Amino acid sequence: QVQLVESGGGLVHPGGSLRLSCAIPQSIFSRHALMGWYRQTPGKDNELVASFTSGGGTTYADSAKGRFTISRDTLTNTMYLQMNNLKPEDTAVYYCNVQYQGQIYWGLGTQVTVSS
């Protein structure tokens, strides 16, 4: 069974930083795969925070632009989300997502709480 594993969440003060990691099985870590980070807060739909496009570029939600950076390491099959200048409204469960060969894969999520 293919499993994505997120890590790096936690409690941080406003203005702080966190780096989320997502370990992705090599079998689906492909340049042809779509990869991204979503977040969900209670009562709201999933929000696509950042992603790699099919052409290898990156896209960000307006709320993430200038503060978050998505990256990936092809040697370790890991995707990252660097989050700077965090705000209370960034509080959510963050999920990594891979779409490859018609299949969609999710991790179990990691909680990010931004609070003073």
Side-chain angles (χ1 to χ4, degrees), residues 22-95:
C22 177
I24 300 171
Q26 187 173 358
S27 60
I28 62 171
F29 195 98
S30 166
R31 63 185 179 92
H32 300 295
L34 297 177
M35 301 181 184
W37 289 94
Y38 288 75
R39 65 186 181 188
Q40 186 168 32
T41 54
K44 293 186 178 181
D45 292 333
N46 263 355
E47 177 187 16
L48 177 59
V49 177
S51 67
F52 289 99
T53 66
S54 58
T58 56
T59 62
Y60 296 90
D62 287 343
S63 58
K65 288 178 181 176
R67 301 187 299 125
F68 294 5
T69 303
I70 189 172
S71 62
R72 57 191 172 188
D73 185 336
T74 57
L75 295 179
T76 61
N77 300 332
T78 304
M79 181 172 63
Y80 299 99
L81 184 67
Q82 177 67 44
M83 305 187 294
N84 298 328
N85 190 22
L86 283 161
K87 304 175 181 181
E89 51 263 41
D90 295 317
T91 296
V93 179
Y94 285 72
Y95 299 89

